Amino acid sequence: MSVSAYSAVAAMLADEFNDLPTAKWLVGDPDERLKAVRGQFELLVEHALGHGGVVTSGDLDGAVVWFDHTVSAPVIPDYDDRLLAACGAHTERFRHLDRVMEEHHPQAPHHYVALVGVRRKRRGKGIATAMLRRHHRALDRDGIPAYLEAVSPQTAKLYGTLGYRPLGDRYGLVDGGPWLYPMWREPQTV
C-alpha cells in the first residue's frame, strides 16, 4: 500500500470517527479534531502495514486496521515525536488515551482490531461485518483470538453478533471522558 493509499484510509476513518464521543473528548473543535485524528490514524495505518494489516471494502467504503499481538506488541518508531507533530496542542489527550487503553489491554496473544469504520452513507449494509468476517476466517483457521474496544453499547452489541464478548468492565477517560468497552473473541470452529 502506497503512502497515498494509507493516507486515504486514515482520512476516511478520521472523517467517520470525527463525531464519536472519544474523538470529541480528544479535541473539542471539529476542524482541529479531524486534523489531529487523521494524523494519529496515519501513524496507525502505516504501522499496521508492517505489524498487522488493513482490510478495506469497495471504493474505500470501509476499513479495518489491526495489529498482530501474537508476538511482542509492535511499537511505532519515534511515536512520541510523530504524535506531537500530528496532534500539536492536543497531544497529551492522545497520550492519555493511549495509556488508559494500554493499561486495559490483555497480555494473552491475539490480534488487536484497533480501528473499524464505514462511511456514513454506506452504514447498515453489512460492510463492517463482512470486513471483520474476512479477517476472522484467518484467525479461526490459525486459532488466534481477537481483541477490540467498542465505543458504545450499540457497537458492542454489533461485535457480540460476531463472537466478541465483554472482557472485564467498561472503562472511562478522565474529565468526564467517554466509556470504552473491551471485548474478546475466541477463535471459532466451523
Side-chain angles (χ1 to χ4, degrees):
M1 184 178 281
S2 67
V3 171
S4 62
Y6 73 71
S7 189
V9 170
M12 183 279 293
L13 288 168
D15 285 344
E16 302 314 318
F17 276 63
N18 204 37
D19 290 331
L20 291 179
T22 306
K24 289 180 178 180
W25 177 85
L26 286 166
V27 182
D29 179 85
D31 293 329
E32 289 182 36
R33 178 185 322 131
L34 186 60
K35 182 180 176 200
V37 170
R38 180 179 178 174
Q40 187 210 30
F41 284 4
E42 284 184 5
L43 298 175
L44 296 176
V45 172
E46 174 190 9
H47 196 62
L49 294 174
H51 301 280
V54 177
V55 177
T56 60
S57 177
D59 189 22
L60 200 50
D61 291 328
V64 173
V65 177
W66 59 272
F67 293 97
D68 183 354
H69 282 230
T70 61
V71 292
S72 62
V75 176
I76 298 174
D78 303 318
Y79 180 69
D80 287 340
D81 292 337
R82 294 173 72 194
L83 186 68
L84 179 61
C87 302
H90 310 289
T91 302
E92 190 47 44
R93 286 273 181 154
F94 283 84
R95 286 184 180 144
H96 176 77
L97 176 63
D98 288 345
R99 283 190 301 269
V100 171
M101 291 172 74
E102 184 59 34
E103 288 170 9
H104 291 88
H105 204 102
Q107 296 302 309
H110 65 281
H111 276 197
Y112 173 41
V113 180
L115 302 169
V116 179
V118 173
R119 292 187 191 278
R120 277 176 205 79
K121 65 182 180 185
R122 302 288 292 144
R123 289 182 189 160
K125 300 185 184 308
I127 293 171
T129 298
M131 289 185 300
L132 286 166
R133 282 189 175 144
R134 193 163 83 196
H135 185 61
H136 291 157
R137 280 194 293 275
L139 296 180
D140 294 345
R141 179 194 66 227
D142 297 338
I144 299 172
Y147 171 76
L148 56 74
E149 297 99 354
V151 296
S152 70
Q154 295 79 16
T155 57
K157 186 175 178 180
L158 170 68
Y159 295 133
T161 67
L162 297 170
Y164 288 87
R165 300 293 172 251
L167 182 66
D169 295 328
R170 68 183 183 170
Y171 61 90
L173 304 170
V174 298
D175 301 334
W179 296 103
L180 295 174
Y181 301 81
M183 302 188 78
W184 184 264
R185 181 185 183 274
E186 286 294 332
Q188 312 285 304
T189 56
V190 178

